[in-house]
Amino acid sequence: MTGASGFAGGAVVRAALARGWRVHAFGRRPPSRVTGDLGGLVRAGVVPYRSWDVTGPGPGDPPEVDAVIHCAGTVSDWGPSREFRRVNVIGTARVRATFPDARFVHISTASVYDPFRPTVMAREHECHARRYANAYGASKALAERAAGESAIILRPHAVYGPGDPTLLPRVLASVRGRRLWAVGDGRQRVSLTSVDNLAQACLLAASGPVARGVFNVTDAEPVVLDEALRWILRERGIDAEPFYLPAALVMPVAGVMEAVFRVLRRPKPPRLTRYAVGHLAVERTLDISAARERLGYRPAPTSFRGAASW
């Protein structure tokens, strides 16, 4: 398991241990800096853990494993192309080369689909896009190729859950006073992926009936954006209402903000990016029939219950 000290990787480790699997964990953090449940398991000797930057040489004397679940990667809608390629593309190739005989499960993303048009119950073959809104989507498309034709590739969308470092913080950061600023009209449907559903898909891919293929991985059904946002606000006890701006107005503003940040060489992303706008303003739904039929995937519905403590 690579990326074991991260959000998704940690969830997969916990799910694997619950099934009684023997897990070898790798992450960029040194063992002393691994926190949470995984940190306790590492210090207790339950999970063998090694620090490994996947952009560098593989670990000496790598363990013999039946399957590799590759969760490591750079996830952001902002940053230099070379960094995304170094981690997401070269890193994937290095992990694949380190474990050439193991079943290989690669965690990709729905961002490989065309960002410049709505994604309406997209199936796996409706990819790849001719161009991408940022270096992240482009690097993940290349990383799928680096994983190889013999890999199992999983494409989640907007992963959320306890410890979520991206989706929930972004929603909360959009609250100003009694308004949660959003794009579109709120009626657009979106497919989301709980981290527990993603962990289920990873274990099925690592041990299930198929050894290769590409699979969309989401919650049981898409949700309406406005309903999801209101649910999050209720769970967090925030007295605010979603307020929507038209994409035709927001997209040029996002482009200007990106240009200014590039000129100033700001390392942190602007508050508004074209990538983020594109994923909010129109439908982003995925067909998960292949995962259901071939992997035996049985996802739970989208739920934000307990989000007050995430």
Side-chain angles (χ1 to χ4, degrees), residues 213-265:
V214 183
F215 301 94
N216 294 329
V217 175
T218 71
D219 296 344
E221 299 290 343
V223 295
V224 175
L225 178 64
D226 187 72
E227 295 175 2
L229 294 178
R230 290 177 185 275
W231 191 349
I232 292 171
L233 292 172
R234 286 196 304 270
E235 288 290 323
R236 298 288 296 196
I238 298 173
D239 183 15
E241 294 276 328
F243 186 84
Y244 297 94
L245 295 172
L249 173 65
V250 178
M251 190 66 82
V253 175
V256 170
M257 291 182 68
E258 288 183 14
V260 170
F261 270 58
R262 286 195 186 94
V263 170
L264 298 178
R265 297 184 178 180

Side-chain angles (χ1 to χ4, degrees), residues 1 16 18 27 31 55 80 97 117 139 148 154 179 182-183 198 201 210 212 214 228 230 233 244 255 285 291:
M1 161 67 64
T55 64
R117 61 183 178 127
S139 72
L154 304 179
R179 286 182 173 178
V183 185
L198 177 57
V210 298
R212 66 182 66 188
V214 183
R230 290 177 185 275
L233 292 172
Y244 297 94
T285 56

Side-chain angles (χ1 to χ4, degrees), residues 142-196:
L142 291 172
E144 289 191 1
R145 298 175 193 172
E149 294 183 357
S150 62
I152 299 176
I153 293 170
L154 304 179
R155 293 176 181 160
H157 181 247
V159 181
Y160 69 95
D164 170 14
T166 304
L167 183 63
L168 184 62
R170 177 165 284 175
V171 170
L172 299 180
S174 299
V175 175
R176 291 291 182 273
R178 298 189 62 183
R179 286 182 173 178
L180 191 169
W181 294 89
V183 185
D185 58 16
R187 293 175 293 180
Q188 57 268 40
R189 299 196 312 156
V190 292
S191 290
L192 306 177
T193 309
S194 78
V195 73
D196 289 335

Side-chain angles (χ1 to χ4, degrees), residues 1 3 7 26 60 69 98 136 171 197 207 209 213 231-232 236 267 273 290:
M1 161 67 64
F7 170 48
F26 297 92
I69 301 175
T98 301
Y136 171 66
V171 170
N197 281 335
S207 63
W231 191 349
I232 292 171
R236 298 288 296 196
T273 65

